[in-house]
């Protein structure tokens, strides 16, 4: 016979599955460091672009939240740095902004993923970025990081820029870097073919290999002993400016597809002072990280997000739109 506590837990899991998932699952930190970007892509979920403010989440704020997260037993020790375009800090942001973030994360032995459009690869300050990335990797070996790049028609010269980045990384010793290429189903394979042809002309010939991620084994391309390239495709969802694109698909029950049981909960910090569940979920469940001139504690933020998820679910039950109530 169930005792009272078991009955309450069963009731909560029935009525508030998302809220309890947010509470119980491992979580990952995502920092949308800026909303500024050189590009104004029509598919951008964040509506980032050159007309957005050239402001950045302060490096000490990012560091404080990484320090706080490191003390949680259910923090999965992974952090994502994205935007907008994080590398725009080399033009408009604080000096050494990017190396400071990377040093802090790798110093905590966290997994690091940098999401960037790669447009800086051929810029005058691009060499400084390559030097900084190489320096960070060398300082924290054997710990590594991932660089995520978009291979699609929305990012101008994506094939050229990605080829430049791979070439530069391949010629540097002991990089210990993963390069993740992502795009959309219709155009990804033709663009990948162009990229491989360009690399071959530069005498870079990636070889087939395999990588284990959790319970999955996936193919990768290996350049030398250290550089690893893997790829994935995604569906174009109708968020941000993508809502008018013919191949953009609406998200069904988007407020309940923020996360899945086999992944970490994404806590995404943005420069406006908000933390949102998921990077690009539909209706947002969010909480402030800033309180006046001060920053809020991670405990308080997580409590607000859990409560926000519970409120959304309660309202869905009342309105008859909760998937479990249909």
């Amino acid at each position: 016979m169930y005792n009272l506590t078991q009955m309450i837990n069963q009731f909560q899991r029935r009525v508030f599955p998302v809220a309890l998932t947010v509470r119980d699952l491992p979580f990952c930190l995502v920092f949308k460091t800026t909303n500024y970007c050189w590009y104004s892509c029509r598919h951008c979920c964040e509506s980032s672009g050159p007309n957005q403010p050239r402001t950045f989440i302060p490096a000490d704020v990012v560091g404080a939240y990484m320090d706080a997260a490191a003390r949680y037993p259910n923090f999965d020790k992974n952090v994502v740095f994205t935007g907008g375009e994080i590398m725009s800090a080399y033009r408009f942001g604080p000096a050494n902004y990017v190396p400071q973030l990377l040093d802090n994360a790798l110093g905590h032995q966290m997994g690091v993923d940098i999401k960037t459009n790669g447009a800086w690869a051929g810029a005058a300050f691009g060499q400084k970025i390559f030097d900084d990335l190489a320096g960070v990797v060398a300082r924290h070996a054997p710990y590594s990081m991932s660089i995520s790049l978009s291979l699609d028609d929305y990012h101008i010269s994506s094939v050229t820029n990605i080829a430049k980045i791979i070439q530069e990384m391949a010629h540097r010793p002991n990089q210990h870097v993963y390069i993740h290429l992502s795009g959309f189903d219709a155009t990804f394979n033709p663009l990948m073919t162009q990229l491989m042809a360009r690399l071959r002309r530069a005498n870079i010939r990636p070889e087939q290999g395999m990588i284990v991620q959790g319970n999955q084994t996936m193919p990768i391309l290996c350049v030398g002993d250290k550089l690893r390239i893997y790829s994935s495709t995604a569906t174009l969802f109708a968020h941000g400016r993508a809502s008018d694109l013919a191949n953009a698909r609406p998200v069904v029950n988007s407020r309940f597809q923020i996360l899945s049981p086999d992944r970490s909960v994404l806590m995404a910090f943005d420069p406006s002072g908000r933390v949102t569940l998921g990077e690009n979920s539909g209706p947002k469940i969010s909480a402030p990280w800033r309180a006046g001139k001060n920053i809020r504690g991670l405990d308080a933020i997580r409590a607000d997000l859990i409560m926000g998820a519970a409120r959304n679910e309660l309202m869905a039950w009342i309105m008859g739109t909760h998937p479990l109530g249909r």
Side-chain angles (χ1 to χ4, degrees):
M1 183 175 182
Y2 287 113
N3 60 34
L4 180 60
T5 300
Q6 289 172 319
M7 292 176 63
I8 292 173
N9 287 340
Q10 187 180 48
F11 172 78
Q12 287 179 324
R13 292 191 179 282
R14 172 65 180 169
V15 178
F16 302 119
V18 176
L20 293 189
T21 301
V22 173
R23 185 193 70 185
D24 295 338
L25 272 188
F27 67 92
C28 167
L29 297 181
V30 179
F31 293 99
K32 301 176 183 179
T33 54
T34 181
N35 209 28
Y36 176 85
C37 185
W38 296 297
Y39 292 149
S40 185
C41 299
R42 292 180 65 200
H43 73 297
C44 181
C45 296
E46 303 300 328
S47 295
S48 298
N51 296 322
Q52 295 291 345
R54 299 173 180 179
T55 56
F56 299 80
I57 303 177
D60 60 341
V61 170
V62 175
Y65 283 119
M66 286 194 289
D67 291 343
R71 295 190 287 270
Y72 279 74
N74 63 330
F75 175 49
D76 72 359
K77 299 199 74 174
N78 283 294
V79 60
V80 178
F81 297 117
T82 182
E85 176 49 52
I86 182 174
M87 297 305 182
S88 65
Y90 280 87
R91 291 187 62 192
F92 310 121
N96 297 319
Y97 180 75
V98 173
Q100 185 175 348
L101 299 185
L102 298 178
D103 278 329
N104 195 326
L106 290 173
H108 280 298
Q109 300 179 11
M110 296 176 184
V112 173
D113 183 29
I114 308 168
K115 296 186 183 297
T116 171
N117 60 39
W120 45 270
F125 56 89
Q127 199 60 43
K128 168 65 172 168
I129 297 177
F130 285 124
D131 291 343
D132 282 352
L133 292 177
V136 167
V137 170
R139 285 193 293 275
H140 297 282
Y143 299 103
S144 182
M145 63 184 176
S146 173
I147 301 174
S148 291
L149 298 155
S150 294
L151 183 61
D152 57 44
D153 287 336
Y154 296 104
H155 293 84
I156 303 168
S157 303
S158 64
V159 171
T160 301
N161 292 330
I162 291 171
K164 170 71 173 175
I165 291 171
I166 293 174
Q167 291 173 50
E168 181 73 27
M169 294 296 188
H171 291 144
R172 289 175 179 264
N174 302 321
Q175 280 297 276
H176 299 273
V177 170
Y178 290 91
I179 294 179
H180 175 215
L181 306 180
S182 63
F184 301 111
D185 294 328
T187 60
F188 186 77
N189 286 336
L191 291 174
M192 192 68 161
T193 299
Q194 294 179 35
L195 176 62
M196 291 299 107
R198 188 179 290 266
L199 292 176
R200 285 195 296 270
R201 290 196 296 271
N203 293 319
I204 295 176
R205 301 178 183 275
E207 299 178 353
Q208 291 288 340
M210 302 296 291
I211 185 174
V212 177
Q213 287 191 330
N215 296 325
Q216 292 184 329
T217 301
M218 60 183 293
I220 60 171
L221 296 173
C222 306
V223 181
D225 295 332
K226 305 299 180 184
L227 191 61
R228 301 289 182 265
I229 304 169
Y230 63 107
S231 60
S232 62
T233 56
T235 300
L236 181 60
F237 288 115
H239 291 308
R241 293 185 289 257
S243 57
D244 64 341
L245 296 178
N247 56 340
R249 301 179 187 177
V251 179
V252 179
N253 296 326
S254 54
R255 73 180 65 214
F256 294 103
Q257 295 180 356
I258 296 168
L259 39 84
S260 60
D262 60 343
R263 296 178 60 188
S264 297
V265 177
L266 300 178
M267 291 178 55
F269 292 69
D270 67 39
S272 73
R274 305 292 296 180
V275 185
T276 304
L277 289 181
E279 285 189 85
N280 301 308
S281 58
K284 302 293 186 181
I285 297 173
S286 64
W289 60 257
R290 191 163 47 203
K293 296 182 178 180
N294 301 315
I295 67 172
R296 302 179 67 217
L298 197 56
D299 280 342
I301 292 171
R302 283 177 52 79
D304 282 355
L305 293 175
I306 294 166
M307 184 60 67
R311 280 196 299 268
N312 266 18
E313 291 187 277
L314 183 59
M315 184 57 65
W317 282 110
I318 294 172
M319 300 299 294
T321 58
H322 198 297
L324 298 180
R326 293 177 180 176

